[in-house]
Structures are given as C-alpha cells and as structure tokens.
C-alpha cells in the first residue's frame, strides 16, 4: 500500500523529508490523508497567488499597449493592487435576485473553480515536482476543462436574467465546439510521444522540444491550439460571452462579491492552464533549451514558468489588439476551418512519424 | 464616375416652380371670373369675388417669396397629401429630400412647415399648412412619401398636439406618455419647469 | 409590453430585451427596445427623451447671443460648427458681412472640430466591436486638438468662440504653429489607424455587408453626413451650399456606394484626410483684419424666416428661425442630423444579429443630446 502511494506522489527532496516525517509520526492511513490535505493546501495557495498576480500582469500589459501606466499606487509598482481588490470583493454585499434558483446560483461558481484547481494538479513544474502523475495525463486535462462549462451554463440559467442566459448559451456553444480543436491538436503531438502521461512526454522531449521534432504539422497544431485555447477560456477575440459593449456582463451579470471573484479568477487560471499545457506539450515543460541547465533541476521551475508566461503574454496581446468575432463567425471558424485543418494535420503527422521524418537532436 | 457629381445644378427658378406647381391645383374660381366681370353678383362665386376687380389667384395654392429665402407655398390641409406626392414624383421638380419638418404655433393657428430639396436639381422650396382647430388639429401624414417624416411628425405631435392621419405609430417621442399638455404651444403654462424672464 | 409565457425552450419565442439608457454601446442615454428571436432582431424601437432639455423652447425666450451658447450642448462633439450655424443664420438675416479673417478662422476651427469628433468616433467604434485599445489611441490624438482649442478659445469641449458678427477674441499667437504641428503629426497616425483596425480581417468581417442602406432609402430617411455618403447620396453641405471660407478651398467629397457599415467607416476615414487638406490650404493664408464686426447690443432680426445649413461632423445641421422683429426668435427649430440618422436604425438592423446592431450603431455615430435637444 505504501509503495503504491509512494509511486503516485512524487516530490522534491525537501518534501520527501516531510513525507518521511509524517509517516514516522502517524499511522499510514492518517499520514497519507494529512499529506494529501497538505498538498491541496499548497496548491490552493499557489492558485490564489497565481490568480492575483496574473490579474495584475494583465492590467500592466493592457496599460502598456494602451500607452498608460496601469496600477502603480498600491504597493511598489502596484504589486499589492489585486490584494486590495480581493479584499474588496470579499467584503462586498452578496446581492442575489429574488427569483434566482438559489441552489444552482450558489453552486455555479464552484464548478469553475474546482475544475481549474484539479487541472492545476497535474503539471510537471520540474523533474520531481508533480502532484499527480497519472498515466492518462492529457486525457485527464481535457476532460477536466470540459467541466467548467457546466458552471457557466448553470450561472447563466440560475440568474433569471435574459442577458445572463444569452451569455451562458453563447458560451456553452463556444466551449463545446472548441474543445474538439483543443483535443485534436493535442492528439497530433501525442502521435510523436506515444504516451498520454505527462512525465513521459517531457522525457521524450529531452531529444528536442516537440514543436521542433514535429516541424510543420507541429507548428500548425500549435497555432490551432492557441486559437482554440483562447476560445476555450472565453477571452478576446472570442469573448462574445461577456462582451461588455453588448450585453452588460454576460453570464456573470448577477454575481457580485466572492462568487464573482471565483468566476473572474477562474478565467485567469484557465488562461494559465492553457498556456501551461502548451508549454508541456510543445515547448518541453521544464527542460532548458539545448540542456544548458540540466544539472540544476530546481531551475526547471523557472523555465516552466517563464515559457508559460510568454504564452500568457501572447494571449493578452490578442485580447488588447483584435476586435471580437460575432458568435456565428466564431462557430464558422471552428467547424468549417479549424476542424478540417486539424484532421488533415493529424494525418500528415501520422505519416511523418511513420516514415520517421521527425527532427531529433 | 457617377459618384463625383458635377456640382453645377439645373435649378428651376422660383417663377418656373410657381407656374408648374400652381398649374396642378387650378383654382375653380378662375372659370367664374369672366362671368363675374359683367355682373356684380352671382350665386356661384363665393365671398372672394366681392371686389371683382381684385386679381384672382390662378391656383388654390398661395405663393409667396417675401421675408424668406425660398419660394413658400401655403396649401390647405385637404390638398396637402396630393401636393406632396406630386412634388416628389414629378420629374421636373423631384423633391425627394425632406430636410426639415417643423411645427409652428402661429398664435391662432397651428401649422407645419416642410422644407424640401431636390437631390437632382438642387432647388429648394417651403410648404406651409395651417389648421385653425386648436382642440383637435389633424393633418395628413407624409411619412408614406418620405420616411424621415415618421419621427419628425411624432415630434410635432409631442410638442404641438397635431395628429397625423395614417401615421404608422403616432406616439409621443420625447416626453413620457402621461405628460399633460403640449409644451411648444404659445399658451403652455408650467409653473415648475418653465423659467420666464 | 406583454411577455409571452414560455413553458418550453425559449429559442423559438420572441422576447424583449432592453438595451437600456445606461449601456456601453449606445453613445449616450438612448434606450432601445429590441424584439429578438434567438439572435435575430425583429424590431428596434428607440425610446428617446432621456436628455431632452427643451432647448427650442428656451430659445424663444433668450437673446440671439445667448442662443449661441445653448447650441454647443446639442452635439457636443462638433460644438464649434453648431455655434457657427446659428451665427451664420443671424448674420445672413441681418445682412452682415463678416471679414475674411473670421471666415477662414471659423473654417479652420470647424475642420479641426470635425477631426476631433472623428477621432473620438474611431476610438469608440473600435471599442464597440471589441478592440479595446483603439479608444486610447483616438483620445491621444484628440487631446492634441483639445489643447489647441484650450489655448485659443478657452475651453476644450464647448467652445463658444463664435458670436454673431465674428469671433469672441482673436486667435492665440501659437495657434498657427500648433495646428501645423498637429497636421504633421496626424498624417502619420491615420495610416496607423488603418493598420490597426481597417485592415484587420476580424473587423472587416464584422462590418462588411452589415447594416446595408440603399441610396433611395438614405434620401427618403433624410440621412446626411457620412451615413448618407456611405450609400452614395451626395449630401455634403460644404459642396452644395458652401458657407464661410469653404468655397475657396478644393477638396473631394468622400463617397462610397456599398452602403454597409464598412463603407460608412471608410467615408469617415477619408473625411479626416480631406479635413487635413482643407486646414493645410488655409492655415498659411489667414488674411489680416478685424476679428469681428460690431453689432448692436440687442440684436433684432427683421421679420421673416431664415434657414441655414451647415455640415456638422454627424451630418447636416439646419437652423430655422422665424422672427417677428423682436429680440427673441418667434420659433427656432434645429434640424439635427442624429435625429434623421437614428430613424433609419429600425430599417437597417432588422434581420441582423445583436452583434450587427452594435456594429451598425457604431458607424451611425449618433450623439444622443443632438437627437433629444
């Protein structure tokens, strides 16, 4: 029993000491539960901090594009700004409409938050720093991100508000369509690795990042993945769902205070997750280019975060530059363009792998 | 290209317009003038021929050019709609652009003033129609001729109370539906909102 | 209005949505009552009057100099041109000849106002379709114009620089230099605007073929300004009935035939180029002379009716004064461009989607105080 738990939870040597200490102090069952709770708390803290600082990053990046400075009063360089915002949101009055379906209305934000948190658990931040390394890693990620849609639909429906309902319906349609593209473009890369397990995927990339190994079809897959990923998270140019200039605030019109904070933070965490998946699959997760810092494993965290943040910046760049697509144009893009290209791309990639034309270092 | 128009226009002069438009509504009294000249009174002619030596207007419309930049036509409410239709459809006049529709309270009468322009010939003209009925003034709508009149006539109804027959959606435009009175009339009194010097 | 009771999925029923008075996309306090079937719009019913201030009634009690100050609150983005309209009407009625210097300065400031209004329109229209950054770029350039106005006229938005008879004070010594700097700067910016928005595929798909207005409908609805010109209706008052110094300059009238939102958008961009060219022709040749002609302290227009049209940034603004010889007008009517432009919204938005409605309203460029007066 202990062996199985040990292979499932891999941690760095510092945490290995905590692990050993726990097991020496308490009986096995209790120790493993305490360990799980500890890991969950750590991830919750990571989630909260990451969410807050991503919001600040977005505001600063937006300000840079718009020729202004952004928050710089609260704390040095605005670093405490989102803390102040979070405190404000926590202390806000929770308004709710009388006719809203109370149970579903309260339940909706939790779907979004929980699915984001669960997805965050599988990423390989560095060599032995991964909370949950199951053998169906990628599949797990795609499945989890689909659960978030339920939260949006519930929120829109339970608000008893026409604008919210329109927003929620649009979002449901959009997310379900673009999941296909996300899944298929990831599948394209799995053809090279041959395994769904995330740590295996990183192992394969030791002989060259997958985007280099797969050359042309991998680049196409990456572009499709970025487009579809941006659409999955309801960000511009696909943010019809919460188009401020059209329908007020879309599906979260009726939410305020902490529940709104959940939706809001979940959007940013989703963006991080999409970027993190791209980093893992296409850009070699925590591997340094040409293996320059191979000997210092804990630098892997910085490589991982650095690559992820570059992709996050790319998504923010999209948001502040492009106008938004109309809902039917959005769906046309997916079903008539992205999906056929994706399918052809898979075939090309399969041919390249079969003929062993991938670039290996 | 058809778009880059030659800005010189074939404007019709006011006299030509007057003759053309007047000819559409000939005054039936004109036929009686020759008979009136011999006798001092007849039973057909109306009060207008009390002084037989006064010139009879050849048309039922009244034309005037004084105190205005354009040719003004005064028309009776009954002939309004047919005059407007002819003004738009006739090839020489072709007044297809109604650029201003204003209601006026002349003191005793309520009226509407139409400013028309032709986009092909570029001549302009002013039509005035008055009604003496202040309790329940009604005029014909021209919104089936120029669609811009839809909103303008609603505004005139809102501020002057003039109802327009056959208007598709005659409802107050700016003021709330429960508002009492017609503000731009000269006899409108509002203790709270009006500041009189 | 009644709502139909629904006991099955609502997609097949029509329902009402209120794009209420406070809304980011209706430029000002405009309420639109939409009847929608799914995403398709069946009817648009504007509900006006939220900012009705009874300017026309107030004008019946104010003197002519005071009326000029009321006009800049109507279409506050082309306030100088509104002032000019009333001043021209009064001057034509009194048969007063203003010096050439006044005419040229009025034209230059009028064209600068037009550019400022179009900059704001561009920024806001990008924001309406989702490109949130364009707002800041449009306002950055507008700030330069506002600074020029502040130095000369004393105010940034409601300028009140015109009086019947001329201008209130002479131009500031820096005016010519700063205007030239602005023209040189802005010429590099319009291509930037084109790169950012006009050429963008997403933007073109949002605007092309959306909200089509045919030429006959444009004339029938009284659409003027860029809305009319986007449909091929040649209605530029500066060409057909020139006023101030506009008969001395050469410029092209921007016309397009397609009548969709992209055509209206491109007409306005072209108008910005034309305005720059007008300013360039005039800025170096401002004639010397007086900046106003003395009028009596109490202006009384002779008995009669007077009408003056000018080309405001939104279209054709008309001022109709009926005077009985006293010091207040008997009736003053403002023919506002936005009023006629809004009346065609129902005609062109029906059958499209909500996203198309927003894109169409962005290119109609209405300012609600202009409509409500």
């Amino acid at each position: 029993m202990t062996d199985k738990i040990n292979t499932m939870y891999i941690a760095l040597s510092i945490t290995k000491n905590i692990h050993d200490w726990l097991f020496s102090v308490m009986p096995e069952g209790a120790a493993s539960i305490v360990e799980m709770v500890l890991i969950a708390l750590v991830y919750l803290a990571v989630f909260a901090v990451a969410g807050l600082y991503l919001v600040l990053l977005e505001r600063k990046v937006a300000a840079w594009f718009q020729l202004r400075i952004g928050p710089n009063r609260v704390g040095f360089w605005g670093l405490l700004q989102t803390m102040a915002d979070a405190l404000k949101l926590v202390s806000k009055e929770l308004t709710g409409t009388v006719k809203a379906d109370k149970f579903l209305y309260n339940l909706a934000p939790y779907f979004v938050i929980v699915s984001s948190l669960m997805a965050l658990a599988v990423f390989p931040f560095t060599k032995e720093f991964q909370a949950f390394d199951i053998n169906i890693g990628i599949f797990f990620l795609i499945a989890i991100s689909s659960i978030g849609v339920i939260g949006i639909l519930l929120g829109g429906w339970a608000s008893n508000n026409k604008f919210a309902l329109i927003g929620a319906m649009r979002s449901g349609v959009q997310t379900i369509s673009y999941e296909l593209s996300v899944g298929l473009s990831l599948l394209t890369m799995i053809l090279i690795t041959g395994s769904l397990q995330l740590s295996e995927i990183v192992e394969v990339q030791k002989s060259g990042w997958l985007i280099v190994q797969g050359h042309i079809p991998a680049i196409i897959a990456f572009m499709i993945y970025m487009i579809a990923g941006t659409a999955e998270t309801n960000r511009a140019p696909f943010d019809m769902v919460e188009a401020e200039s059209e329908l007020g605030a879309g599906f979260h019109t009726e939410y305020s205070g902490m529940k709104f904070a959940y939706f809001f933070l979940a959007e940013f965490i989703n963006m991080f997750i999409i970027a993190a998946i791209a980093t893992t699959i296409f850009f070699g997760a925590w591997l340094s280019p040409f293996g320059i810092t191979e000997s210092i494993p804990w630098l892997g965290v910085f490589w991982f975060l650095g690559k992820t943040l570059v992709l996050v910046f790319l998504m923010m760049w999209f948001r502040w530059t492009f106008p938004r697509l109309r809902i039917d144009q959005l769906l046309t893009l997916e079903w008539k363009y992205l999906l056929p290209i994706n399918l052809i791309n898979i075939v090309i990639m399969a041919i390249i792998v079969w003929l062993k034309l991938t670039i290996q270092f | 290209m058809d778009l880059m128009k030659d800005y010189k226009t074939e404007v019709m002069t006011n006299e030509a317009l007057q003759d053309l438009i007047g000819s559409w509504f000939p005054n039936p009294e004109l036929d009686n003038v020759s008979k009136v000249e011999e006798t001092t009174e007849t039973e057909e002619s109306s009060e207008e021929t009390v002084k037989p030596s006064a010139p009879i207007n050849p048309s039922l419309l009244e034309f005037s050019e004084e105190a205005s930049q354009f040719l003004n036509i005064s028309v009776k409410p009954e002939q309004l709609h047919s005059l407007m239709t002819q003004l738009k459809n006739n090839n020489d006049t072709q007044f297809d652009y109604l650029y201003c529709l204003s209601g006026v309270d002349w003191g005793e009468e309520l009226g509407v003033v139409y400013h028309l322009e032709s986009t092909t010939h570029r001549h302009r003209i002013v039509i005035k129609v008055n009604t003496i009925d202040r309790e329940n003034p009604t005029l014909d709508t021209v919104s089936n001729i120029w669609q811009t009149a839809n909103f303008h006539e609603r505004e005139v109804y809102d501020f002057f109370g003039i109802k327009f027959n056959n208007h598709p959606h005659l409802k107050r435009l700016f003021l709330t539906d429960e508002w009492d009175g017609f503000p731009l009339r000269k006899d409108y009194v509002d203790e709270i909102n009006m500041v009189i010097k | 209005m009644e709502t139909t009771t629904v006991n099955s999925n609502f997609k097949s029923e029509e329902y009402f949505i209120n794009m209420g008075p406070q809304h980011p996309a209706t430029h000002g306090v405009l309420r639109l009552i939409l009847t929608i079937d799914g995403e398709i719009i069946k009817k648009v019913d504007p509900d006006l009057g939220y900012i009705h201030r009874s300017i026309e009634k107030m004008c019946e009690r104010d003197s002519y100099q005071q009326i000029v100050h009321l006009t800049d609150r109507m279409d506050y983005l082309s306030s100088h041109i509104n002032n000019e309209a009333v001043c021209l009407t009064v001057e034509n009625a009194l048969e007063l000849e203003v010096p050439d210097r006044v005419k040229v300065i009025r034209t230059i400031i009028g064209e600068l106002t037009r550019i400022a209004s179009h900059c704001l329109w561009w920024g806001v229209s990008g924001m309406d379709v989702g490109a949130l950054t364009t707002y800041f770029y449009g306002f950055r350039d507008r700030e330069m114009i506002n600074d020029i106005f502040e130095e000369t006229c004393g105010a940034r938005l409601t300028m009140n620089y015109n009086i019947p008879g001329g201008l209130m004070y002479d131009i500031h010594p820096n005016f010519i230099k700063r205007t030239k700097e602005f023209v040189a700067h802005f010429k590099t910016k319009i291509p930037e605007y084109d790169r950012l928005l006009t050429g963008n595929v997403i933007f073109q798909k949002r605007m092309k073929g959306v909200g089509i207005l045919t030429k006959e409908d444009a004339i029938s609805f009284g659409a003027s300004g860029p809305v009319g010109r986007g449909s091929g209706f040649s209605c530029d008052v500066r060409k057909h009935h020139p006023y101030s110094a506009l008969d001395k300059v050469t410029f092209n009238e921007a016309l397009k035939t397609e009548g969709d939102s992209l055509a209206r958008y491109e007409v306005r961009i072209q108008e910005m180029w034309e305005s720059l060219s007008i300013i360039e022709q005039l800025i170096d040749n401002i004639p010397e002379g007086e900046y106003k002609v003395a009028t009596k302290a109490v202006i009384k227009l002779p008995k009669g009716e007077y009408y003056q049209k000018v080309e405001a940034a939104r279209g054709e603004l008309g001022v109709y004064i009926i005077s009985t010889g006293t010091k207040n007008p008997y009736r003053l009517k403002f023919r506002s461009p936005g009023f006629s432009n809004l009346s065609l919204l129902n005609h062109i938005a029906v059958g499209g989607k909500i996203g198309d409605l927003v894109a169409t309203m962005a290119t109609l460029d209405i300012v609600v105080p202009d409509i409500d007066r």
Side-chain angles (χ1 to χ4, degrees):
Chain A
M1 171 78 167
T2 319
D3 285 358
K4 234 195 267 184
I5 295 171
N6 278 345
T7 52
M8 277 168 70
Y9 295 94
I10 307 170
L12 282 180
S13 46
I14 305 168
T15 56
K16 206 164 177 1
N17 293 339
I18 301 180
H19 173 86
D20 292 335
W21 174 73
L22 272 178
F23 272 83
S24 63
V25 166
M26 294 181 229
E28 285 179 23
S32 47
I33 291 177
V34 170
E35 192 178 26
M36 283 189 247
V37 168
L38 269 178
I39 293 179
L41 281 175
V42 166
Y43 268 90
L44 212 53
V46 165
F47 173 87
V49 170
L52 292 179
Y53 282 96
L54 275 174
V55 174
L56 180 67
L57 179 68
E58 161 105 48
R59 288 170 76 163
K60 282 289 199 185
V61 164
W64 185 50
F65 283 131
Q66 292 168 355
L67 312 169
R68 53 189 180 92
I69 306 181
N72 65 342
R73 299 275 172 194
V74 185
F76 174 71
W77 216 64
L79 283 172
L80 293 178
Q81 175 71 45
T82 9
M83 212 71 71
D85 284 339
L87 281 175
K88 176 203 80 167
L89 280 172
V90 165
S91 64
K92 248 192 178 175
E93 178 191 346
L94 294 177
T95 61
T97 46
V98 171
K99 287 203 203 150
D101 189 329
K102 275 279 175 290
F103 176 59
L104 292 177
Y105 180 78
N106 291 332
L107 184 62
Y110 295 106
F111 270 101
V112 218
I113 285 280
V114 164
S115 72
S116 311
L117 263 178
M118 286 168 77
L120 207 55
V122 281
F123 287 116
F125 287 103
T126 186
K127 195 158 172 177
E128 283 163 349
F129 191 162
Q130 189 174 10
F132 191 45
D133 188 28
I134 50 173
N135 54 355
I136 49 162
I138 294 288
F139 188 61
F140 178 77
L141 277 174
I142 299 174
I144 286 297
S145 59
S146 322
I147 296 185
V149 184
I150 302 182
I152 297 178
L153 286 172
L154 279 181
W157 173 259
S159 299
N160 197 31
N161 176 344
K162 278 176 203 160
F163 288 126
L165 194 52
I166 298 180
M169 289 297 156
R170 282 176 173 174
S171 167
V173 149
Q174 181 182 327
T175 315
I176 293 174
S177 309
Y178 279 93
E179 268 166 21
L180 272 172
S181 283
V182 166
L184 283 177
S185 52
L186 291 178
L187 192 63
T188 319
M189 306 315 289
I190 301 300
L191 286 173
I192 303 184
T193 65
S195 159
L196 288 171
Q197 191 171 3
L198 282 171
S199 49
E200 287 283 320
I201 294 176
V202 180
E203 282 299 314
V204 169
Q205 292 190 68
K206 284 203 167 122
S207 53
W209 292 351
L210 277 182
I211 197 166
V212 176
Q213 283 194 30
H215 50 92
I216 300 170
I219 294 177
I220 298 177
F222 174 64
M223 292 200 293
I224 297 177
Y225 176 79
M226 280 316 283
I227 298 175
T230 321
E232 275 283 297
T233 57
N234 297 325
R235 279 183 68 83
F238 305 103
D239 66 346
M240 260 289 160
V241 170
E242 51 193 40
E244 294 131 11
S245 3
E246 292 188 27
L247 289 182
F251 65 90
H252 52 72
T253 314
E254 292 287 340
Y255 284 91
S256 69
M258 208 53 217
K259 298 200 184 74
F260 171 71
Y262 286 145
F263 278 121
F264 191 58
L265 281 179
E267 181 183 314
F268 283 93
I269 295 293
N270 276 338
M271 190 169 59
F272 184 82
I273 289 172
I274 298 284
I277 299 178
T279 313
T280 314
I281 302 277
F282 292 98
F283 292 109
W286 46 265
L287 293 171
S288 42
F290 307 110
I292 39 180
T293 59
E294 209 47 57
S295 46
I296 317 171
W298 53 267
L299 267 188
V301 181
F302 292 103
W303 281 112
F304 185 86
L305 285 179
K307 291 177 207 172
T308 311
L309 283 176
V310 167
L311 290 177
V312 165
F313 175 76
L314 188 67
M315 290 171 77
M316 290 181 182
W317 199 354
F318 287 164
R319 177 177 186 182
W320 297 106
T321 313
F322 294 131
R324 65 175 67 96
L325 265 66
R326 217 171 54 201
I327 187 76
D328 62 315
Q329 290 169 343
L330 216 148
L331 295 172
T332 317
L333 177 67
E334 158 65 21
W335 292 100
K336 287 194 192 167
Y337 296 100
L338 287 186
L339 192 58
I341 298 179
N342 233 336
L343 293 170
I344 299 174
N345 204 27
I346 291 186
V347 171
I348 298 179
M349 180 64 104
I351 296 175
I352 289 186
V353 170
W354 179 47
L355 295 178
K356 295 198 181 11
L357 289 176
T358 54
I359 303 174
Q360 309 266 353
F361 284 109
Chain B
M1 219 169 69
D2 198 85
L3 292 179
M4 301 321 275
K5 287 181 171 300
D6 185 6
Y7 291 102
K8 291 197 282 290
T9 55
E10 320 111 43
V11 179
M12 282 176 75
T13 58
N14 283 347
E15 293 81 39
L17 277 171
Q18 185 167 344
D19 291 333
L20 176 62
I21 299 172
S23 65
W24 297 337
F25 292 89
N27 193 344
E29 307 302 324
L30 203 54
D31 300 327
N32 304 326
V33 165
S34 45
K35 299 179 196 138
V36 165
E37 274 169 359
E38 277 128 39
T39 58
T40 47
E41 59 158 52
T42 64
E43 55 275 12
E44 290 157 336
S45 60
S46 59
E47 310 82 68
E48 281 141 12
T49 50
V50 162
K51 292 182 283 233
S53 54
I56 301 288
N57 193 348
S59 164
L60 283 174
L61 312 169
E62 282 160 34
F63 295 86
S64 156
E65 266 184 70
E66 56 171 78
S68 169
Q69 303 150 263
F70 317 114
L71 177 65
N72 289 8
I73 305 181
S74 300
V75 64
K76 303 263 183 315
E78 304 84 49
Q79 287 131 14
L80 175 68
H81 196 265
S82 66
L83 171 67
M84 294 300 204
T85 323
Q86 282 188 287
L87 278 173
K88 180 168 184 213
N89 296 334
N90 185 300
N91 278 334
D92 289 322
T93 54
Q94 254 185 329
F95 285 109
D96 48 357
Y97 182 34
L98 170 66
Y99 62 90
C100 188
L101 201 166
S102 352
V104 188
D105 182 353
W106 296 103
E108 291 155 3
E109 301 176 315
L110 290 171
V112 177
V113 179
Y114 302 84
H115 282 76
L116 298 168
E117 180 172 351
S118 164
T119 55
T120 41
H121 304 297
R122 294 290 165 182
H123 38 233
R124 297 183 274 180
I125 204 171
V126 174
I127 317 275
K128 290 186 184 160
V129 60
N130 291 340
T131 166
I132 193 77
D133 183 359
R134 285 183 80 98
E135 294 301 313
N136 201 5
T138 26
L139 290 170
D140 283 332
T141 184
V142 294
S143 56
N144 40 17
I145 309 176
W146 298 282
Q147 282 166 300
T148 182
N150 193 326
F151 266 39
H152 281 94
E153 284 174 354
R154 278 178 73 178
E155 184 192 353
V156 171
Y157 170 63
D158 197 0
F159 290 142
F160 290 91
I162 301 179
K163 291 205 177 57
F164 290 91
N165 299 327
N166 305 324
H167 191 279
H169 187 51
L170 193 65
K171 193 163 95 71
R172 280 194 187 259
L173 189 62
F174 294 121
L175 303 173
T176 54
D177 289 332
E178 303 88 41
W179 195 278
D180 203 12
F182 300 108
L184 260 105
R185 289 199 187 179
K186 293 289 175 188
D187 50 6
Y188 180 73
V189 173
D190 188 343
E191 304 293 320
I192 310 168
N193 294 321
M194 278 175 71
V195 173
I196 308 180
K197 290 192 220 166
Chain C
M1 56 205 87
E2 324 81 54
T3 47
T4 51
T5 50
V6 182
N7 54 8
S8 57
N9 63 40
F10 74 98
K11 272 184 287 195
S12 51
E13 304 279 350
E14 291 185 356
Y15 56 102
F16 291 102
I17 276 225
N18 204 19
M19 265 172 94
Q22 282 120 352
H23 196 283
T26 58
H27 307 251
V29 277
L30 172 66
R31 177 175 172 224
L32 294 175
I33 305 172
L34 308 171
T35 309
I36 311 188
D37 176 13
E39 278 262 344
I40 313 281
I41 297 180
K42 293 285 189 225
K43 185 155 163 270
V44 177
D45 189 13
D47 184 10
L48 307 170
Y50 282 90
I51 195 166
H52 175 69
R53 294 149 294 175
S54 62
I55 289 186
E56 294 180 1
K57 187 81 178 173
M58 282 200 279
C59 289
E60 292 175 9
R61 143 204 105 185
D62 286 342
S63 68
Y64 288 96
Q65 290 97 330
Q66 289 171 313
I67 289 174
V68 174
H69 295 266
L70 285 176
T71 53
D72 13 71
R73 271 85 182 158
M74 284 184 346
D75 176 4
Y76 46 76
L77 291 174
S78 44
S79 50
H80 176 91
I81 308 179
N82 294 0
N83 292 346
E84 198 177 343
V86 174
C87 292
L88 285 172
T89 321
V90 171
E91 286 157 15
N92 287 340
L94 293 171
E95 286 174 9
L96 205 61
E97 187 66 31
V98 290
D100 281 339
R101 184 179 173 85
V102 169
K103 289 187 184 173
V104 169
I105 294 178
R106 275 182 179 167
T107 309
I108 295 177
I109 298 191
E111 293 307 311
L112 278 175
T113 313
R114 194 185 314 278
I115 296 178
S117 169
H118 284 340
C119 275
L120 191 147
W121 158 80
W122 183 81
V124 169
S125 123
M127 200 170 76
D128 280 347
V129 292
L132 304 157
T133 315
T134 56
Y135 185 78
F136 293 93
Y137 292 1
F139 267 77
R140 170 198 60 185
D141 299 316
R142 199 179 134 81
E143 281 303 302
M144 290 183 71
I145 302 183
N146 281 348
D147 288 339
I148 299 178
F149 286 153
E150 195 181 8
E151 217 176 22
T152 302
C153 318
R156 288 155 51 98
L157 191 67
T158 53
M159 275 158 269
N160 286 325
Y161 189 49
N162 277 314
I163 54 172
L167 306 168
M168 226 187 246
Y169 1 83
D170 208 349
I171 51 172
H172 195 272
N174 280 347
F175 178 76
I176 300 181
K177 181 169 74 83
R178 288 183 79 165
T179 311
K180 283 201 217 179
E181 277 169 13
F182 170 73
V183 169
H185 163 88
F186 199 56
K187 280 191 168 170
T188 61
K189 290 300 169 207
I190 305 185
E192 190 182 285
Y193 292 177
D194 278 336
R195 277 199 313 270
L196 183 57
L197 205 55
T198 319
N200 188 314
V201 165
I202 302 178
F203 182 75
Q204 298 223 334
K205 281 175 77 88
R206 283 299 293 270
M207 292 282 190
K208 215 182 193 125
V210 162
I212 297 191
L213 180 70
T214 58
K215 184 173 169 193
E216 291 72 36
D217 281 338
I219 302 178
S220 180
F221 276 102
S224 52
V227 177
R229 288 199 276 284
S231 305
F233 169 33
S234 161
C235 55
D236 197 338
V237 178
R238 297 176 289 171
K239 284 284 189 195
H240 293 291
H241 308 284
Y243 53 92
S244 289
L246 283 165
D247 40 7
K248 299 201 199 81
V249 291
T250 48
F251 65 99
N252 295 325
E253 185 182 355
L255 276 178
K256 295 247 176 240
T257 42
E258 298 92 19
D260 59 1
S261 294
L262 192 63
R264 295 190 276 269
Y265 173 92
E266 286 176 350
V267 162
R268 285 199 181 90
I269 302 281
Q270 180 66 25
E271 270 187 16
M272 285 204 267
W273 283 113
E274 299 298 334
S275 293
L276 281 176
S277 135
I278 295 178
I279 297 178
E280 273 183 327
Q281 286 171 46
L282 291 175
I283 192 73
D284 282 320
N285 312 319
I286 302 183
E288 297 298 324
E290 288 294 316
Y291 61 88
K292 70 172 172 192
V293 167
T295 56
K296 297 203 192 57
V298 175
I299 298 181
K300 292 188 188 173
L301 292 191
K303 188 161 151 49
E305 300 176 11
Y306 311 99
Y307 193 96
Q308 174 70 35
K309 294 196 209 202
V310 297
E311 178 81 11
R314 269 148 200 85
E316 177 192 314
L317 173 70
V319 176
Y320 176 47
I321 299 184
I322 303 180
S323 167
T324 49
T326 59
K327 60 178 165 51
N328 315 105
Y330 183 77
R331 167 88 166 104
L332 195 150
K333 155 101 181 162
F334 290 107
R335 186 265 184 210
S336 70
F339 192 66
S340 310
N341 287 355
L342 183 66
S343 58
L344 49 81
L345 187 62
N346 185 42
H347 183 76
I348 58 180
V350 165
K353 301 186 177 54
I354 304 181
D356 293 338
L357 175 72
V358 175
T360 309
M361 283 199 45
T363 52
L364 281 184
D365 193 16
I366 50 178
V367 165
V368 186
D370 187 33
I371 302 176
D372 281 357
R373 274 162 280 136

